[in-house]
Amino acid sequence: LAKTTQPISMDSYEGQEVNITCSHNNIATNDYITWYQQFPSQGPRFIIQGYKTKVTNEVASLFIPADRKSSTLSLPRVSLSDTAVYYCLVGLDSGGYQKVTFGTGTKLQVIP
Amino acid sequence: EPEVTQTPSHQVTQMGQEVILRCVPISNHLYFYWYRQILGQKVEFLVSFYNNEISEKSEIFDDQFSVERPDGSNFTLKIRSTKLEDSAMYFCASSEDRRLAPVEQYFGPGTRLTVT
C-alpha cells in the first residue's frame, strides 16, 4: 500500500475554502485515492474517492494531478461542524475490498 | 440511510476476561472489517472477512482474537483473554461486493473497550 503524507493540523475560519493536500509518491497504477472524515468518538466516514483528474460530490471536491503523486481535498465554505480529522488513503484490492490503512490524518480546526 | 450498528457502546472488563463485541453490518454488504483506535492514536486495521472466512488480518490480530458471523446479520469480534493494552475503541465496518471498482467502507459508531 502506498504511504501517504499529509499535514498534521490546519486551522481555518468559518466560511473559508479549505484545501488539504496529501502526498503519495509511490501510488500504484490500480490504486484509488480515498478520503475519510472522523469526528471525535465516532467511526470514520467516507467523503470522496477518485482515480484521476477531478471528482466532486455534495460534500467536497478531490483534485488529482496527472502524475497522481498527490491529491487535494477541497472543502468549500467550511463550518464549525467540519472540525474533524481528515484521512487520505491510497490502495485497492481488486478482489472487491480495499484494505484501509489509516495514517495520522489532518486535524482540521474551524474557527468562528 | 442504512447504517452499521455496534453493541455495546462501552464495555468494561477485567484483565484476562473474554469479551465479545457485536456488530450488525449493513444488510446487503458482503465484506466486513474490524478496526481499533487506541485513544489519541490512528485507526488500525485488524481483520477483514468475506464469504465466511478471514480475507486478511494484521499483525495485531493474533491468536487472542477471533471473528465470527454466527447468523445472517451479526458479525462479532472475540478477544479471548484481554490485556490492558487492548483498551481502545473498536470499529466495525462493512462494504458492498463490487469487484470491478473500489468500495467505500461504512463504519459503525464503535465500542469503547476498557480493560482494568
Side-chain angles (χ1 to χ4, degrees):
Chain A
L1 292 170
K3 181 174 159 49
T4 60
T5 303
Q6 51 183 125
I8 293 174
S9 64
M10 293 179 74
D11 291 339
S12 176
Y13 288 104
E14 266 192 299
Q16 301 281 312
E17 177 184 81
V18 170
N19 295 308
I20 306 173
T21 297
C22 178
S23 298
H24 28 80
N25 290 318
N26 59 340
I27 188 169
T29 304
N30 290 339
D31 285 344
Y32 279 69
I33 299 153
T34 311
W35 286 80
Y36 283 81
Q37 173 193 56
Q38 186 182 26
F39 298 113
S41 298
Q42 293 188 28
R45 186 175 74 103
F46 171 87
I47 303 175
I48 197 165
Q49 185 175 74
Y51 184 78
K52 61 180 179 180
T53 64
K54 177 184 173 183
V55 180
T56 296
N57 62 21
E58 63 278 3
V59 175
S61 295
L62 179 59
F63 299 92
I64 305 168
D67 66 6
R68 304 201 325 122
K69 292 185 185 300
S70 66
S71 58
T72 299
L73 174 73
S74 182
L75 304 171
R77 294 184 301 282
V78 294
S79 63
L80 295 176
S81 62
D82 292 316
T83 294
V85 179
Y86 292 82
Y87 298 97
C88 162
L89 299 100
V90 172
L92 168 70
D93 180 299
S94 58
Y97 83 93
Q98 181 177 29
K99 176 185 173 182
V100 174
T101 301
F102 288 85
T104 50
T106 298
K107 188 171 184 178
L108 172 66
Q109 180 70 51
V110 179
I111 307 161
Chain B
E1 184 181 318
E3 58 184 19
V4 175
T5 59
Q6 291 184 242
T7 54
S9 57
H10 192 186
Q11 173 91 45
V12 181
T13 189
Q14 288 191 324
M15 199 166 51
Q17 295 294 304
E18 175 185 284
V19 293
I20 297 176
L21 309 183
R22 291 183 165 75
C23 167
V24 179
I26 294 173
S27 62
N28 64 334
H29 285 185
L30 298 178
Y31 288 91
F32 314 113
Y33 317 83
W34 283 101
Y35 295 83
R36 78 171 186 192
Q37 186 173 33
I38 295 170
L39 187 63
Q41 297 187 26
K42 61 184 182 182
V43 177
E44 300 174 289
F45 169 81
L46 292 178
V47 65
S48 60
F49 191 86
Y50 171 72
N51 200 25
N52 282 319
E53 60 183 26
I54 291 174
S55 308
E56 189 165 1
K57 59 184 181 178
S58 71
E59 56 277 4
I60 301 168
F61 194 89
D62 61 21
D63 292 342
Q64 292 300 311
F65 291 89
S66 62
V67 289
E68 195 179 24
R69 188 147 162 86
D71 52 44
S73 59
N74 290 284
F75 181 51
T76 62
L77 174 70
K78 182 195 288 186
I79 309 175
R80 233 177 303 279
S81 177
T82 50
K83 308 191 217 24
L84 293 176
E85 53 265 37
D86 293 327
S87 294
M89 185 76 100
Y90 287 81
F91 295 108
C92 172
S94 68
S95 62
E96 296 177 18
D97 180 8
R98 284 189 275 160
R99 292 182 179 271
L100 298 180
V103 295
E104 60 262 33
Q105 294 182 21
Y106 293 79
F107 284 76
T111 292
R112 180 166 297 286
L113 176 65
T114 302
V115 182
T116 61

